[in-house]
Amino acid sequence: MEFKIEKKATSSQARAGEITTDHGKITTPIFMPVGTAATVKGVFHRDLINEVKADIILGNTYHLYLRPGLDILHEAGGLHKFSSWDKPILTDSGGFQVFSLAEQRKITEEGCRFSSHIDGSKHMFTPENVIDTQRIIGADIMMAFDECPPGTSERSYASKSLDLTHRWLERCFQQYHKTEPLYGYYQSLFPIVQGCVYDDLRAKSANFVKQFDADGYAIGGLAVGEPAEEMYAMIEVVNAILPEDKPRYLMGVGTPINILEGIDRGVDMFDCVMPTRNGRNGMLFTWNGVINIRNNKWAHDFSPIDENSDCFVDRTYSKAYLRHLAISNEMLAAQIASIHNLAFYLQLVREARVHILDNTFKEWKENLIAILGKRL
RNA sequence: UCCUCCUUAGCUCAGUUGGUUAGAGCACCUGACUGUUAAUCAGGGGGUCUUAGGUUCAAGUCCUAAAGGAGGAG
């Protein structure tokens, strides 16, 4: 994998670049739609490519391991072939699920024991088998197995957890170097910086992960309940330490404003369920602000969903129509909202890239943030 | 004409032997959602309990009549 920075902004840490993988190029900054269970919920690949213009999507190790299972994924020749997606894929390691399925987990030095939310069966994730699993899935970018402690964690717990995540990271890389890709194309492994909201732990973690000479570096454990300002402060601490010439991935973030603030602080890659999940629940992100399409106020508004978007759902459907579909629980509402929101997120990062390249990012960002935060 | 049974929120219905400010689901209105266990979750508004009398310390609950509805007998 290759990363080339085309332009660094002058009054900002923002960068415009390009990642090259065996499944194609990714222009940065980039937003990656989340496709947990081998599908970006409700969106055809055709629309992801032509309308959303996604360069890369996510899959999830935890979910894919449980269903369809490794034998089927292996037999299919990996997730790309299984799902007929031939652009890049990044898989999360299941570390976040260790955190979000807190009631059923048992974390030990060895790894994490958990029971399936599907059938209650018992399983164990270790740094080693999580790498093996991601080899079978065949992600272009694999993620290290980490623990993602709650944003409200005490320092003592955050510190203990961080040390465990670091020991797991060493084992992830050992397994990574001991194994080969199964399907003939290269796979990267990104380490993950943790440390909750503690500057020194974040710095320690950034310095630790740096030694692994990875193709890219991730910042995890943010946007998990802490104030946005604390998240931004942590990004600054970490990005001051991470290598400049490698992509930086802020995991699970976030709102359009979070993304602009992240780009401003030198983040290159983002993913978040927000455009799809919130879209299914009636929330639309537009260039004029945020809409709850279920609100009564849109019932008679026959204007386009977003007149500043060139995505086909915006050219085709009105707010009043989409509201009707959403209120009626029609599945098309979820599809339209998901495509619209994803297209908006991708337009947002492409637009950011343009403004980085022509050196107008900072003022563009400041003006836009005031608009994007509005509730319409 | 007679007999029986219904009538409680916009809709469909709960409501114990009469006993606090009458509930639910759906609908409506509004929130939440950040490496997806989520087409999910939470909150809110809304009722002269068909009407008129009566019994009782107390009536959605009991009695009488009327109105509207369902079924049955002629």
Side-chain angles (χ1 to χ4, degrees):
Chain A
M1 194 182 103
E2 204 181 303
F3 180 55
K4 188 177 74 200
I5 293 181
E6 290 165 42
K7 173 94 176 183
K8 284 181 194 167
T10 45
S11 54
S12 158
Q13 297 296 307
R15 315 101 69 79
E18 188 177 75
I19 297 169
T20 305
T21 74
D22 287 351
H23 282 99
K25 291 183 189 303
I26 302 161
T27 58
T28 65
I30 188 67
F31 179 81
M32 307 180 283
V34 176
T36 306
T39 166
V40 177
K41 293 186 193 302
V43 183
F44 290 123
H45 288 351
R46 183 187 64 198
D47 294 332
L48 280 175
I49 292 165
N50 297 333
E51 301 298 330
V52 174
K53 301 181 171 68
D55 285 349
I56 172 173
I57 61 174
L58 258 67
N60 186 281
T61 302
Y62 169 87
H63 293 280
L64 295 170
Y65 160 84
L66 289 178
R67 208 162 48 185
L70 300 184
D71 50 341
I72 290 175
L73 286 166
H74 198 188
E75 189 184 337
L79 182 57
H80 289 84
K81 285 192 174 157
F82 184 56
S83 65
S84 305
W85 174 260
D86 57 13
K87 285 168 167 268
I89 293 175
L90 179 151
T91 41
D92 185 27
S93 64
F96 186 74
Q97 279 62 42
V98 169
F99 152 70
S100 62
L101 301 172
E103 286 154 45
Q104 308 172 58
R105 72 178 173 175
K106 179 154 176 66
I107 298 170
T108 62
E109 186 63 35
E110 175 66 8
C112 180
R113 191 171 290 286
F114 62 92
S115 38
S116 161
H117 69 280
I118 298 166
D119 62 5
S121 55
K122 300 268 193 292
H123 302 269
M124 175 86 177
F125 272 178
T126 66
E128 290 80 12
N129 72 20
V130 161
I131 296 300
D132 294 344
T133 297
Q134 292 181 95
R135 289 290 196 199
I136 290 168
I137 294 170
D140 297 273
I141 300 173
M142 310 189 288
M143 298 305 300
F145 187 57
D146 64 337
E147 190 199 350
C148 180
T152 52
S153 297
E154 298 286 330
R155 208 202 121 85
S156 58
Y157 183 80
S159 178
K160 247 183 71 179
S161 165
L162 181 63
D163 290 339
L164 178 65
T165 287
H166 287 171
R167 290 193 298 276
W168 283 358
L169 181 60
E170 288 178 324
R171 288 164 55 191
C172 281
F173 268 94
Q174 279 170 19
Q175 188 70 8
Y176 176 63
H177 291 306
K178 242 169 64 182
T179 55
E180 292 286 327
L182 298 173
Y183 311 116
Y185 52 83
Y186 180 77
Q187 295 179 278
S188 298
L189 173 62
F190 283 20
I192 302 172
V193 172
Q194 288 289 352
C196 291
V197 291
Y198 305 101
D199 289 35
D200 58 324
L201 295 184
R202 285 283 171 183
K204 174 183 171 185
S205 187
N207 279 306
F208 185 86
V209 304
K210 199 175 162 180
Q211 356 161 32
F212 288 91
D213 189 31
D215 293 316
Y217 297 84
I219 307 168
L222 291 176
V224 285
E226 80 288 356
E229 290 309 321
E230 288 187 23
M231 169 168 77
Y232 302 148
M234 293 304 110
I235 297 170
E236 288 174 21
V237 168
V238 169
N239 279 353
I241 296 167
L242 291 180
E244 276 206 31
D245 60 346
K246 294 292 168 65
R248 298 148 174 176
Y249 164 30
L250 180 57
M251 305 185 75
V253 174
T255 65
I257 291 173
N258 291 159
I259 288 172
L260 292 178
E261 296 291 4
I263 292 171
D264 192 19
R265 289 165 175 78
V267 176
D268 307 294
M269 304 166 71
F270 303 85
D271 79 283
C272 192
V273 301
M274 199 173 275
T276 41
R277 179 191 290 170
N278 289 28
R280 288 195 303 279
N281 295 328
M283 185 171 180
L284 302 177
F285 299 94
T286 79
W287 289 101
N288 297 317
V290 176
I291 288 175
N292 183 344
I293 200 64
R294 304 181 71 100
N295 286 173
N296 188 38
K297 63 196 289 191
W298 308 113
H300 300 275
D301 188 329
F302 302 101
S303 67
I305 297 167
D306 187 348
E307 64 271 18
N308 297 313
S309 166
D310 60 357
C311 177
F312 93 90
V313 295
D314 295 280
R315 294 194 309 271
T316 308
Y317 303 113
S318 70
K319 295 187 186 78
Y321 178 65
L322 181 55
R323 175 177 190 274
H324 158 69
L325 295 180
I327 290 287
S328 311
N329 287 321
E330 286 292 337
M331 64 172 93
L332 185 58
Q335 293 184 279
I336 291 172
S338 296
I339 293 171
H340 164 81
N341 281 345
L342 287 175
F344 171 80
Y345 267 63
L346 268 294
Q347 282 168 23
L348 182 71
V349 294
R350 279 200 304 276
E351 203 59 24
R353 192 171 197 278
V354 167
H355 287 281
I356 294 166
L357 289 173
D358 67 15
N359 241 328
T360 54
F361 176 78
K362 200 78 176 183
E363 54 267 42
W364 172 79
K365 184 204 95 172
E366 293 303 333
N367 288 333
L368 192 56
I369 280 177
I371 300 169
L372 295 183
K374 281 196 303 194
R375 308 284 308 218
L376 298 179

